Amino acid sequence: MEETLNSTIDPACLQEPPQAIDVIKQLDTFGFCLYGILTLMSCISLLLYLEQCIYIYKKLPYPKKTTIIWINGAAPVIATMACFGMWIPRAVMFTDMTSNCYFAVVVYKVLVLMIEEYGGTDVFLKRFSGKTFRINTGPCCCCCLCLPRVPMSRRMLFLLKMAALQYAILKTVLSVLSIILWTNGNFDLSDLEITGTAIWINPFIGVLTITSLWPVAIIFMNTNSHLHKLNIIPKYAMYQLILVLSQLQTSIINILALNGTIPCSPPFSSQAWGSMLSQQIMIVEMFIITLVTRCLYRRTYDTLPTEVHDNNQKLDTLVEHDV
């Protein structure tokens, strides 16, 4: 039965991804224009990021500048890796893992940035130590309204940092392990059998991802009201958008390709063609996000008001209402 099914499928749809030279040979005029425009977009994203790094390095103090440089690099790095994957389809596994490992570090850096906006760990703890934080936030416990509020402490902040940092470390380790297994023929994304390694590694990475996003959401939901003047909400929205586009969107396209919903297009198999579409879409999306992120972090903001200033402002508001 399986032999009959395979005999009805175009042999080109069962082949591995083509080499770069084969991709170039099959391009027509429209294809060359499309590839040229997408390559130009990724190059512009990278150049804008390098220029932004110079600006941030000169204008901002340490250690905030290193954190912001990391966060600003998410979209340009993903766009650059997607461009490599577009031209060299057989390298998609390596480019995707490089992008995902970089973004795993960015998740931790977003949490660090929100703490550094208050002046660092010591100032953050001085301001919020003893105050209770709500932990029923996404993506883990947004529906668990019965969860008690937890007082902030140095130990609590350390646990939140470690929960975000573990993803950056373990994601890199598992990516290296996946590449090693792939070179030996033991790692295949299309192998969904219980004996396959991909069916065990990928869900575990998904659990690590959710676990790392939770502490970032906790810090954001409990402190963003004090950071409005620093445009923390649109900055956080851009980070969330990159997460959805680079992780969820790519996963959906890969699943559709594995199910055969996305047809093969010789010399590309269904999986390779789905990956190609994902890379091309990603370049356009990351180019737009690079422009928006540049505007958000290019601006200079006033220093964050102290807790005494916030309390006085609340007191003045209450007096006005009483009058």
Side-chain angles (χ1 to χ4, degrees):
M1 180 67 179
E2 185 177 354
E3 292 179 358
T4 305
L5 181 60
N6 288 339
S7 63
T8 61
I9 300 176
D10 188 342
C13 295
L14 301 175
Q15 295 176 356
E16 61 182 2
Q19 295 182 353
I21 188 64
D22 297 326
V23 174
I24 296 175
K25 287 180 180 179
Q26 62 91 30
L27 289 178
D28 53 11
T29 303
F30 174 77
F32 273 112
C33 293
L34 177 63
Y35 273 55
I37 292 173
L38 294 176
T39 303
L40 181 62
M41 283 184 175
S42 63
C43 291
I44 292 175
S45 298
L46 187 59
L47 290 175
L48 289 177
Y49 170 61
L50 295 176
E51 189 273 337
Q52 180 80 336
C53 288
I54 297 173
Y55 176 84
I56 293 172
Y57 188 82
K58 291 181 178 180
K59 299 292 184 180
L60 296 181
Y62 180 84
K64 184 187 293 186
K65 61 184 176 183
T66 57
T67 303
I68 294 179
I69 287 174
W70 267 99
I71 297 173
N72 271 256
V77 167
I78 294 175
T80 303
M81 290 298 104
C83 184
F84 282 123
M86 179 183 67
W87 283 103
I88 311 174
R90 294 190 180 183
V92 165
M93 180 178 176
F94 299 93
T95 58
D96 284 350
M97 287 186 174
T98 302
S99 299
N100 293 335
C101 290
Y102 186 95
F103 188 76
V105 179
V106 170
V107 172
Y108 172 71
K109 290 296 183 179
V110 170
L111 185 147
V112 172
L113 176 63
M114 288 188 286
I115 296 174
E116 289 179 353
E117 293 288 13
Y118 285 94
T121 301
D122 293 336
V123 179
F124 181 88
L125 288 173
K126 183 178 180 181
R127 187 160 187 169
F128 292 103
S129 183
K131 295 183 179 180
T132 56
F133 277 33
R134 54 183 288 251
I135 60 174
N136 56 335
T137 62
C140 289
C141 303
C142 54
C143 298
C144 303
L145 301 179
C146 59
L147 287 177
R149 297 175 69 92
V150 178
M152 176 54 61
S153 63
R154 186 172 294 276
R155 181 174 180 271
M156 177 65 177
L157 184 60
F158 174 78
L159 292 176
L160 292 175
K161 285 185 175 181
M162 288 300 101
L165 182 61
Q166 53 83 23
Y167 179 50
I169 297 173
L170 294 179
K171 171 62 180 176
T172 304
V173 172
L174 291 174
S175 295
V176 173
L177 176 61
S178 298
I179 291 174
I180 293 173
L181 294 175
W182 176 78
T183 57
N184 196 47
N186 301 117
F187 185 87
D188 185 5
L189 293 175
S190 62
D191 182 11
L192 302 180
E193 297 293 332
I194 194 66
T195 55
T197 55
I199 199 66
W200 292 98
I201 292 178
N202 288 340
F204 183 60
I205 291 177
V207 173
L208 295 178
T209 304
I210 294 175
T211 305
S212 67
L213 296 176
W214 190 27
V216 181
I218 290 174
I219 294 294
F220 174 76
M221 294 300 296
N222 288 276
T223 63
N224 71 82
S225 59
H226 303 284
L227 301 175
H228 280 299
K229 291 185 178 180
L230 303 180
N231 268 5
I232 194 63
I233 293 179
K235 291 176 181 177
Y236 188 80
M238 287 298 103
Y239 144 78
Q240 290 282 331
L241 185 59
I242 295 175
L243 170 68
V244 171
L245 295 177
S246 63
Q247 305 294 323
L248 184 60
Q249 175 184 270
T250 302
S251 299
I252 292 174
I253 294 177
N254 288 336
I255 292 173
L256 292 176
L258 288 174
N259 291 337
T261 305
I262 298 177
C264 69
S265 178
F268 295 96
S269 63
S270 297
Q271 189 175 355
W273 183 240
S275 179
M276 176 64 66
L277 293 176
S278 177
Q279 307 301 319
Q280 293 175 349
I281 295 172
M282 194 75 67
I283 292 174
V284 178
E285 294 168 341
M286 293 302 121
F287 174 74
I288 297 173
I289 292 177
T290 299
L291 298 179
V292 176
T293 304
R294 185 176 186 274
C295 295
L296 290 174
Y297 288 92
R298 190 78 174 186
R299 298 175 56 190
T300 55
Y301 302 97
D302 297 332
T303 56
L304 191 67
T306 62
E307 186 178 8
V308 175
H309 179 273
D310 291 339
N311 293 335
N312 291 337
Q313 193 173 20
K314 290 180 181 178
L315 183 61
D316 293 340
T317 304
L318 291 174
V319 171
E320 290 178 2
H321 284 303
D322 291 341
V323 174

